Amino acid sequence: MTRQQFIELLVPIAVKLRLNGSSIYPSVRIAQAILETGGNVNAWNNLVGYKVGSGKLTPYWNGDWVSRTTWEVVNGARYDKVPGDFRAYPTIEAGFRDQDLLFQSSRYSSVRQAADPDSQAAALQSSGYATDPAYATKLSRMIQIYQLKRYDEEVIHMLEELQKQVEALQKQVSALERMTSLDTIPQWAQAAVDAAASAGLIDTPSGGSHDFYRLLTVLHRKGIV
């Protein structure tokens, strides 16, 4: 798998999760996956180096894990071939969603609140997600090299288009409401409206539909209102 193929595999997942409310920018998510895996999908679908940790099960992690060696920086010194237990997932998306749950903790509040991808990369490092002191710099470099911010912009564009669709629907609804409601009370329904208002059954006499006034009049004539 080429690096571009790897990126193209992750883009729709990263974009979808962002649209679904994930706090992680697609650019940061993809850059992190590249950095953690070297641009290869591992058999356990954990592309973000998420360790077993507390071992608490989640809706996206059923307890499966694999043991692998990694490297860590402790007190400024690098140690290679450090053993670690990493979560295993049925799909890449499950791994990303499980990571989103992790980022809901107070420890990662700065990650959630980051105003842009580079700030989020810095927040990941300062929150202790990785021991590599150059973690944020490497993430930002990946974002720049592969022009990953375009996928953040794609999300913004999709949200803008969605907002336009919502506004168009709201206008259609308002138009329909105007078509079905009456600005003034029909003369033949006035007695029924007065009776219903006096009884405290309605508090906005005007603006009802033709069917509303017809029903009110029928009830009034039957002595119900």
Side-chain angles (χ1 to χ4, degrees):
M1 178 179 290
T2 66
R3 184 60 53 82
Q4 188 57 37
Q5 289 173 330
F6 181 80
I7 292 172
E8 291 174 357
L9 175 65
L10 300 188
V11 167
I13 304 173
V15 168
K16 180 177 78 171
L17 294 183
R18 182 66 171 172
L19 288 172
N20 288 346
S22 171
S23 59
I24 305 302
Y25 290 94
S27 60
V28 174
R29 174 146 273 160
I30 297 168
Q32 188 178 47
I34 295 172
L35 185 59
E36 294 284 352
T37 69
N40 297 295
V41 178
N42 50 48
W44 49 100
N45 291 313
N46 183 342
L47 308 188
V48 294
Y50 191 177
K51 294 181 179 179
V52 170
S54 66
K56 182 179 180 180
L57 303 185
T58 74
Y60 308 108
W61 182 60
N62 62 9
D64 291 339
W65 55 276
V66 297
S67 292
R68 290 293 184 273
T69 58
T70 183
W71 61 271
E72 305 284 355
V73 175
V74 180
N75 296 325
R78 171 169 170 154
Y79 296 88
D80 294 319
K81 296 183 179 180
V82 178
D85 297 330
F86 297 87
R87 300 187 179 207
Y89 301 98
T91 65
I92 294 171
E93 182 173 334
F96 286 155
R97 286 186 178 277
D98 196 34
Q99 185 190 42
D100 280 344
L101 291 181
L102 172 68
F103 289 146
Q104 291 304 308
S105 70
S106 58
R107 172 181 175 180
Y108 294 104
S109 60
S110 61
V111 173
R112 298 193 302 272
Q113 296 166 7
D116 56 71
D118 292 317
S119 297
Q120 190 163 76
L124 281 169
Q125 180 175 326
S126 63
S127 298
Y129 188 87
T131 60
D132 182 359
Y135 198 72
T137 301
K138 291 177 180 179
L139 287 177
S140 293
R141 186 181 304 138
M142 291 291 180
I143 291 171
Q144 181 179 12
I145 291 174
Y146 298 105
Q147 300 179 339
L148 300 180
K149 288 183 180 179
R150 56 183 157 167
Y151 303 118
D152 303 330
E153 295 169 358
E154 180 179 333
V155 170
I156 294 173
H157 176 70
M158 293 174 71
L159 289 174
E160 289 175 345
E161 288 299 314
L162 182 60
Q163 181 61 34
K164 290 179 182 178
Q165 293 177 24
V166 169
E167 291 174 354
L169 286 173
Q170 289 175 335
K171 289 181 179 178
Q172 291 180 21
V173 170
S174 296
L176 288 172
E177 289 177 343
R178 288 194 296 272
M179 291 174 61
T180 57
S181 63
L182 303 176
D183 293 332
T184 59
I185 300 171
Q187 184 176 357
W188 49 263
Q190 188 65 60
V193 170
D194 291 342
S198 297
L201 298 177
I202 59 175
D203 55 6
T204 54
S206 62
S209 67
H210 189 278
D211 288 340
F212 168 75
Y213 291 124
R214 180 186 298 170
L215 175 61
L216 206 59
T217 299
V218 170
L219 293 175
H220 178 60
R221 289 174 180 174
K222 288 182 176 292
I224 300 174
V225 174

